[in-house]
Amino acid sequence: MQNEQNERSISVLSKEERSYAPSAAFAKTASVPSKAARAKLSAAAARSPEKFWDAAARELHWFKPWRKTLQWKVPDAKWFVGGKTNLSYNCLDRHLDGPRRNKAALIWESEPGKVRTYTYLQLHREVCLFANALKGLGVKPGDRVAIYMPLVPEAVVAMLACARIGAVHGVVFGGFSAEALRDRLNDAGASVVVTADGGWRKGAILRLKDAVDEAVKGAPTVKAVVVLKHADNEITIDETRDHWWHRLTAKASPVCPPEKLDSEHPLFILYTSGSTGKPKGILHTTGGYMTQTAWTMKHVFDLKETDVFWCTADVGWVTGHSYLAYGPLLNGATAVMYEGAPLTPQPDRFWSMISRHSVSIFYTAPTAIRTFMRLGEEHPAKHDLSSLRLLGTVGEPINPEAWRWYKKHIGGDRCPIVDTWWQTETGAIMISPLPGATAAKPGSATLPLPGIDADVVDMTGKSVPLGSGGYLVVRRPWPSMLRTIWGDAERYRKQYWSQIPGMYFTGDGARKDKDGYLWILGRIDDVLNVSGHRLSTSEIESALVGHPFVAESAVVGRPDELHGQAVVAFVTLKGGKIPSPELKELLREFVAKAIGSIARPAEIRFTDSLPKTRSGKIMRRLLREIAAGGAVRGDVTTLEDFGILAKLQQDEE
Ligand code: WTA
């Protein structure tokens, strides 16, 4: 068995080396049409990254030009210093004087199948109405507005309305629990929460307003809650605090001039998992984020005026911020949005949507592709997918098998695939093929984009030779870089700028092959990647020890064919508490309630004690091996005795 697996991975490795050059037909019309063109662009950008980004920023509208392109003192970057702009103006108003005025900006489909389209003109009007509604609630520039919504157009409207008036939005994924929402509201000091009665998910209603009611009880900074009527479920309204979206906007004026904001004005906070239990509020600012998001959207996706672009991410994640909302709108593109679950009502939902809306660029996560692969190619085969011309992936490494399936059964062997590496912290794509220029190798995100100084280095910061592995870093600041962790500048410095001297450390390990292509090996800190979503092991551990029966816990990831990684929790119980399958279920639900269902452990394993080193550190490597090997599977109630294992391990060290 072991041998079989080894052989398989060796053969996969050799196949990995196969590269897929862009077709002549695709390259002909691409914005960067050849390997040489990319190399030239990269060389120029490497000579002067500031000149490169300066030119990119000039393609957008600024009320006042900047004095200085970059001001940099580790770890604080300021881009386009002194410039004044507005992101909502660049996404909307800028397109209203030309042929894009009546072009579809958003095509939205609800899970039950309702379709709504907003032109740029219509979207502009909705944004102005809602911006004035927020102003009416007393929201001022710099105030934090939390958005906890289903994936509906109004979520994008609320984001753009904040950007218009200079409020800082903090989108919290609708799948997060009331407790997780409350923590984020408190950390950000949000004064307003925008939500909906409920949202659709797998044919059922997710009761968002109920969660908000619970969260706000413990969040004293929240003064007002705006509720969109969407799923029509019964909710309770607190007249002193809650406002219906439709009533507020019915009274509001449709005229709302954009605030002329400083390039470094805070744009949004987005929480993500780090290696400690407390989620980090990643802060992005206006001018730099706008510039890199616009550039990458245009060139990584080789965007054309007639494209219909569908990014399947929720706006609760950074991918939804940069490539569902801002990237497409900054470029005057047409974006598709889908509220619901991918397999509802049938496994061919996505393919039916691609066909019905003539989607030409499709951007999704490897975990979704693996799910579709498992369900079988007969589902995409039922639909005409000939409108597609480019595919993308994001969020985790894609295994070559899934890559080839995607290429063949979705892309008809005709569409290039861009495997894009980036993070919540980087704000926009950093490492990726340019589809008309870069030969793809399945499983590799290929090369750093022009203007991005990413590399694989050793612990001292020295670049590793071709063919070796190390830490993935970025040497110089880039425009859409996070500026800080909200309220914790010290954690920002320590987390990102102290591990490898003078460089931004991504938290990922990577390998550089003989052609300089980068292969992401995954996180090397205590962060898990489950279905492309980041989870911190210690966040789940602290949720578990919050249960009165639990004495101690250690959470690790085990490889999972479908989800990339699965959460395995080792748990020791307090004296007198008896392990049982019911308790296991209870604890799984307990975590789901504390954080959200994405964090629900796939497996709980009870143990008498956790294996620890002499200094008391949990031996995670050992637990990971045990979790991966599944040696003690079966009877889940068995108490595992790590005493001997730990002793053996210590003797080895
Ligand atoms: C992982 C998502 C391999 C990586 C945009 C990173 C990837 C983390 C890729 C960030 C990719 C993202 N190939 N791994 N193309 N894209 N990752 O913040 O470990 O949710 O550090 O941002 O996802 O996840 P985040």
Side-chain angles (χ1 to χ4, degrees), residues 62-119:
W62 296 76
F63 299 112
K64 189 177 154 213
W66 53 95
R67 290 192 308 276
K68 197 163 188 270
T69 305
L70 170 66
Q71 186 178 307
W72 172 233
K73 189 165 170 287
V74 183
D76 299 309
K78 288 193 169 128
W79 281 88
F80 313 114
V81 184
K84 295 228 184 277
T85 188
N86 185 290
L87 190 50
S88 126
Y89 182 95
N90 273 290
C91 286
L92 302 168
D93 310 51
R94 197 163 57 96
H95 307 306
L96 298 186
D97 292 335
R100 289 175 182 158
R101 182 179 174 88
N102 300 310
K103 176 179 177 177
L106 293 178
I107 301 173
W108 171 79
E109 190 165 310
S110 74
E111 194 178 79
K114 197 159 69 181
V115 175
R116 257 197 282 155
T117 300
Y118 289 78
T119 64

Side-chain angles (χ1 to χ4, degrees), residues 267 381 467 572:
L267 174 67
T572 62

Side-chain angles (χ1 to χ4, degrees), residues 526 541 552-556 570 610-624:
D526 291 330
E541 285 162 6
E552 219 181 358
S553 93
V555 167
V556 296
F570 292 87
L610 291 168
K612 290 185 185 156
T613 59
R614 276 188 206 103
S615 60
K617 270 183 89 170
I618 293 174
M619 298 163 119
R620 289 178 179 280
R621 192 165 57 89
L622 180 67
L623 292 179
R624 269 197 294 270

Side-chain angles (χ1 to χ4, degrees), residues 26-248:
F26 191 95
K28 206 163 97 189
T29 63
S31 71
V32 183
S34 66
K35 189 176 168 186
R38 177 174 182 159
K40 200 169 149 201
L41 210 57
S42 289
R47 274 195 304 277
S48 177
E50 292 170 35
K51 208 163 138 196
F52 175 81
W53 290 117
D54 206 88
R58 273 175 216 282
E59 289 186 18
L60 297 156
H61 181 84
W62 296 76
F63 299 112
K64 189 177 154 213
W66 53 95
R67 290 192 308 276
K68 197 163 188 270
T69 305
L70 170 66
Q71 186 178 307
W72 172 233
K73 189 165 170 287
V74 183
D76 299 309
K78 288 193 169 128
W79 281 88
F80 313 114
V81 184
K84 295 228 184 277
T85 188
N86 185 290
L87 190 50
S88 126
Y89 182 95
N90 273 290
C91 286
L92 302 168
D93 310 51
R94 197 163 57 96
H95 307 306
L96 298 186
D97 292 335
R100 289 175 182 158
R101 182 179 174 88
N102 300 310
K103 176 179 177 177
L106 293 178
I107 301 173
W108 171 79
E109 190 165 310
S110 74
E111 194 178 79
K114 197 159 69 181
V115 175
R116 257 197 282 155
T117 300
Y118 289 78
T119 64
Y120 274 90
L121 186 65
Q122 289 167 331
L123 192 61
H124 175 264
R125 183 183 162 86
E126 294 302 320
V127 169
C128 289
L129 288 171
F130 195 65
N132 280 327
L134 287 176
K135 280 189 186 173
L137 295 174
V139 176
K140 302 261 178 322
D143 288 355
R144 274 81 58 213
V145 173
I147 300 174
Y148 183 67
M149 296 185 87
L151 195 53
V152 289
E154 287 82 357
V156 176
V157 168
M159 290 163 74
L160 288 162
C162 288
R164 194 164 190 88
I165 64 174
V168 184
H169 61 69
V171 183
V172 178
F173 175 55
F176 276 125
S177 67
E179 285 173 48
L181 173 63
R182 182 199 58 208
D183 291 347
R184 286 156 175 75
L185 294 176
N186 285 325
D187 189 81
S191 58
V192 173
V193 181
V194 185
T195 189
D197 45 6
W200 290 100
R201 196 74 194 169
K202 296 187 189 163
I205 291 175
L206 195 66
R207 303 182 58 86
L208 294 166
K209 175 62 164 62
D210 291 358
V212 170
D213 290 342
E214 204 182 318
V216 166
K217 272 188 225 154
T221 55
V222 175
K223 300 286 174 271
V225 174
V226 183
V227 189
L228 178 77
K229 202 170 175 55
H230 174 60
D232 264 334
N233 48 312
E234 285 262 325
I235 56 168
T236 36
I237 287 282
D238 173 348
E239 297 288 346
T240 64
R241 184 197 69 194
D242 300 345
H243 308 264
W244 284 107
W245 175 299
H246 58 272
R247 296 232 176 104
L248 286 184

Side-chain angles (χ1 to χ4, degrees), residues 383-632:
H383 298 276
D384 175 7
L385 304 181
S386 61
S387 58
L388 286 172
R389 60 179 207 92
L390 176 64
L391 304 173
T393 69
V394 60
E396 53 181 316
I398 182 165
N399 48 315
E401 195 193 354
W403 193 96
R404 284 191 292 269
W405 187 89
Y406 194 32
K407 171 117 183 137
K408 181 166 178 203
H409 297 290
I410 308 306
D413 273 329
R414 164 187 83 250
C415 307
I417 299 179
V418 287
D419 176 347
T420 63
W421 179 93
W422 57 297
Q423 309 177 294
T424 307
E425 291 87 342
T426 71
I429 298 171
M430 303 287 278
I431 303 173
S432 170
L434 291 176
T438 318
K441 293 185 193 178
S444 168
T446 76
L447 303 165
L449 289 175
I452 301 299
D453 191 5
D455 197 1
V456 183
V457 301
D458 65 18
M459 277 188 56
T460 65
K462 207 170 119 233
S463 185
V464 302
L466 298 183
S468 331
Y471 304 98
L472 182 67
V473 298
V474 189
R475 271 194 214 91
R476 294 164 134 277
W478 61 99
S480 63
M481 174 177 120
L482 79 162
R483 297 303 193 260
T484 190
I485 293 175
W486 181 255
D488 201 343
E490 181 48 25
R491 187 176 175 196
Y492 164 68
R493 194 191 59 76
K494 253 176 90 177
Q495 177 90 42
Y496 301 110
W497 296 94
S498 70
Q499 319 218 8
I500 316 274
M503 299 176 190
Y504 171 84
F505 176 47
T506 61
D508 281 352
R511 182 168 69 83
K512 222 169 9 175
D513 75 9
K514 59 180 191 327
D515 301 321
Y517 274 41
L518 304 177
W519 298 76
I520 312 301
L521 303 170
R523 306 288 308 191
I524 60 173
D525 51 11
D526 291 330
V527 174
L528 303 181
N529 191 331
V530 178
S531 301
H533 298 316
R534 276 166 68 169
L535 294 169
S536 120
T537 53
S538 53
E539 197 179 349
I540 304 173
E541 285 162 6
S542 49
L544 279 166
V545 295
H547 191 279
F549 288 10
V550 175
E552 219 181 358
S553 93
V555 167
V556 296
R558 81 159 135 72
D560 182 275
E561 212 176 292
L562 199 57
H563 306 289
Q565 279 187 302
V567 177
V568 179
F570 292 87
V571 169
T572 62
L573 295 174
K574 287 190 179 153
K577 303 298 176 203
I578 313 292
S580 67
E582 292 73 35
L583 183 56
K584 183 185 145 186
E585 224 18 69
L586 207 88
L587 292 177
R588 293 179 69 228
E589 281 321 302
F590 189 75
V591 174
K593 177 142 196 307
I595 303 172
S597 45
I598 46 167
R600 183 189 285 116
E603 208 183 310
I604 300 262
R605 295 168 72 150
F606 295 115
T607 158
D608 267 342
S609 62
L610 291 168
K612 290 185 185 156
T613 59
R614 276 188 206 103
S615 60
K617 270 183 89 170
I618 293 174
M619 298 163 119
R620 289 178 179 280
R621 192 165 57 89
L622 180 67
L623 292 179
R624 269 197 294 270
E625 278 165 18
I626 293 166
V632 214

